Amino acid sequence: ANGLKAACYRLNTRLLHRPPRDPAPGGLIERLFQTAQHQFEAEVRAGDLLTLEQLNRALSAWLSVAYHKDIHSETGQSPEDRYRQGLTIIRQVDMSRVIESFMQAIPRTVNRTFSDVQVNKRFYRVDPKLRGDKVEVRFDPFSTWDKVQIHSLDGQYLGTGLLHQRQTGLPAVPHPQRKKPEHSYTELLIQQHKQELAEKTGGIDYLQIVEHRRWPFHQFAGTVAQLLGFKAGLTGLCSGDLEALKKVYNQSSSIDRQMVKNAFENARQPSVPYIIAELKQLIKGDR
């Protein structure tokens, strides 16, 4: 009854009941039933057993081809012509919405593990965000049962549930994707640091050294870092240390590994400034 009222509301029609103590309207319906039994039902029973889908298809064909085109003995017109003669306006109806009015609705709780609901021993996978939520499952009992509608308890549409087999394995839990920020703070720091190093060292690339030097600068600076115990190598030296080492490196082309070791051994403290001071003395002596 509730479904019929909802359908009338969607169709913008009124539900009219048979007036009491008035057999004529009832006789019209009974005559339709009698015609359907004598013509359509008799043929169906005489033929092969039909499925519900085949029966509905056959009934639609009988109504369209036979019943609506037979001339009525009293009116002299077919039901189809009589209908068109009295027609004043045609309204388009979304039958899918009308069918929704007759759907069955049952409450369910979405399974936390499988993210599904169970209806008539079938499992329907729903949006993983609904895990553990109480929902209302709506379905057409005469459909193919491949999907159902999921609504909140207050009637809000939440999506569809698709038929699946639990034996196929647990669904992967989606991880929310973090939106990449438009401006990266760490990238900004890296670019700023590169700019500072370029300004302090005059834009010198320590890995690209002039070929005529027999000992490249990056090996020279790496030796100093190694002697100081920096496991990270050159990266253990700050920009100020690299700038100071570059200046002393440019003072003499005779600097080699042994000279650096001697400077380290003679330095009063194991630090870049004291090593540079000893290197300068060795350079003067070498001259």
Side-chain angles (χ1 to χ4, degrees), residues 117-254:
V117 293
Q118 183 179 7
V119 179
N120 291 344
K121 297 182 180 181
R122 296 179 176 89
F123 295 100
Y124 296 87
R125 183 171 295 167
V126 304
D127 191 331
K129 293 186 294 186
L130 300 176
R131 295 171 186 265
D133 290 355
K134 293 183 177 180
V135 297
E136 183 180 75
V137 181
R138 299 181 185 179
F139 59 94
D140 179 4
F142 303 106
S143 68
T144 57
W145 290 90
D146 56 343
K147 63 181 179 179
V148 295
Q149 292 186 7
I150 307 298
H151 295 255
S152 64
L153 296 183
D154 58 1
Q156 181 182 0
Y157 177 74
L158 301 177
T160 58
L162 300 179
L163 185 67
H164 81 113
Q165 298 293 332
R166 279 188 173 180
Q167 291 79 0
T168 58
L170 295 178
V173 179
H175 297 282
Q177 296 183 353
R178 297 172 59 185
K179 184 179 179 181
K180 185 178 180 179
E182 183 178 355
H183 303 288
S184 172
Y185 178 65
T186 55
E187 184 65 24
L188 181 63
L189 290 177
I190 292 173
Q191 294 299 329
Q192 185 175 349
H193 184 239
K194 288 182 179 180
Q195 183 178 355
E196 290 179 355
L197 289 177
E199 292 174 354
K200 289 181 179 179
T201 60
I204 299 173
D205 186 352
Y206 298 116
L207 297 180
Q208 302 294 332
I209 307 301
V210 182
E211 293 182 358
H212 70 272
R213 296 296 294 264
R214 60 182 180 180
W215 199 33
F217 175 75
H218 69 277
Q219 293 183 9
F220 161 69
T223 301
V224 174
Q226 183 181 9
L227 291 171
L228 291 174
F230 296 153
K231 295 182 179 180
L234 278 175
T235 57
L237 298 172
C238 66
S239 60
D241 291 338
L242 289 172
E243 183 180 6
L245 288 171
K246 180 59 179 176
K247 288 180 179 179
V248 70
Y249 174 81
N250 290 337
Q251 291 180 10
S252 175
S253 61
S254 62

